C-alpha cells in the first residue's frame, strides 16, 4: 500500500482540534515504548503489539494518522493495511483530531432510554457543534468551530444502571442528563477536569 493510497483511506486528519495535538513524529519516548512492547511478545508474534502501540500514539497525538499507521507497520514488519484494519475495526481509535475536551456519549439502549440523545443535543447546542455531517462509521467525531470541544456517540460504556453515562476524555460520568450538560462543560472549561 503506497503512502498516497493509505492517506486516501484514512479519514480527514485536519479538524479545528488539530491545534491541540502535536503532529505525529517518532520520538525517543515512542521508540522506547515500541521496544518495550515488542519485547513482550515472541519474535513470530510481534504484530500483537499493534494495539498497545496504537493506544500510546492516540494518547499522545490525539488520533491515528496515516504517518502513524506507516510507522507502526514498519516497526511490526507488517503491511500498513494490516494496521489500518485494526484502526478501522475498533471504534475507540480516531482517525481525526478530537477537541481538547472529548465527550463520548453512550447511545445503547439503557442510555438512549435515559436521555443520552437529549444529552448529545444539549452538548452540541452549548458548544456550537454541528453533527449533521457525522456518521458512526467514517466520521464519528465532530469538533466545535473553536476546536476545544468534540463529541461522538459510543457503544455501551457498561453502566446501564446509572444511565445516561459518558466519558469526558478519560473521566467517567454517570447520570448525566441534558440538564447537567452545562455543569459538565463548566467542569472542563479550562480543558481539564476540575476533580
Amino acid at each position: 500500500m503506497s503512502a498516497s493510497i493509505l492517506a486516501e483511506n484514512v479519514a480527514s486528519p485536519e479538524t479545528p482540534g488539530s491545534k491541540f495535538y502535536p503532529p505525529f513524529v517518532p520520538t525517543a519516548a515512542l521508540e522506547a515504548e515500541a521496544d518495550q512492547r515488542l519485547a513482550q511478545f515472541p519474535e513470530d508474534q510481534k504484530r500483537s503489539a499493534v494495539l498497545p502501540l496504537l493506544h500510546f500514539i492516540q494518547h499522545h497525538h490525539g488520533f491515528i494518522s496515516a504517518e502513524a499507521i506507516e510507522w507502526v507497520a514498519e516497526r511490526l514488519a507488517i503491511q500498513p493495511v494490516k494496521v489500518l484494519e485494526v484502526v478501522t475495526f475498533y471504534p475507540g481509535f480516531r482517525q481525526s483530531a478530537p477537541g481538547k475536551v472529548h465527550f463520548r456519549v453512550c447511545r445503547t439502549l439503557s442510555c438512549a432510554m435515559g436521555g443520552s440523545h437529549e444529552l448529545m443535543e444539549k452538548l452540541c447546542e452549548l458548544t456550537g457543534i454541528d453533527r449533521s455531517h457525522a456518521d458512526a462509521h467514517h466520521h464519528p467525531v465532530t469538533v466545535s468551530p473553536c476546536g476545544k470541544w468534540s463529541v461522538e456517540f459510543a457503544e455501551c460504556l457498561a453502566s446501564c444502571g446509572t444511565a445516561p453515562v459518558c466519558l469526558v476524555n478519560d473521566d467517567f460520568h454517570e447520570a448525566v442528563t441534558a440538564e447537567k450538560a452545562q455543569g459538565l462543560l463548566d467542569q472542563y472549561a479550562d480543558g481539564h477536569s476540575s476533580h
Side-chain angles (χ1 to χ4, degrees), residues 101-189:
V101 179
H102 184 58
F103 293 86
R104 299 185 70 214
V105 178
C106 182
R107 69 173 170 194
T108 46
L109 184 60
S110 295
C111 285
M113 293 178 68
S116 64
H117 288 264
E118 291 81 0
L119 172 61
M120 177 64 85
E121 288 176 16
K122 192 65 174 178
L123 288 170
C124 290
E125 175 191 326
L126 294 171
T127 58
I129 292 175
D130 175 10
R131 291 192 72 250
S132 63
H133 299 291
D135 75 71
H137 298 290
H138 300 292
H139 303 286
V141 176
T142 308
V143 184
S144 66
C146 68
K148 181 175 181 178
W149 312 101
S150 60
V151 295
E152 73 176 308
F153 274 122
E155 298 306 323
C156 187
L157 294 178
S159 187
C160 298
T162 58
V165 299
C166 69
L167 282 169
V168 184
N169 293 340
D170 292 328
D171 301 332
F172 188 69
H173 296 271
E174 300 171 295
V176 186
T177 60
E179 294 74 24
K180 295 179 180 177
Q182 184 62 63
L184 195 58
L185 291 170
D186 292 344
Q187 187 176 341
Y188 290 87

Side-chain angles (χ1 to χ4, degrees), residues 25-41:
V25 176
T27 61
L30 179 56
E31 295 287 356
E33 179 74 13
D35 290 342
Q36 180 184 354
R37 296 297 181 178
L38 288 168
Q40 295 173 329
F41 298 99

Side-chain angles (χ1 to χ4, degrees), residues 43 71 96 127 144:
E43 192 61 39
W71 182 84
S96 60
T127 58
S144 66

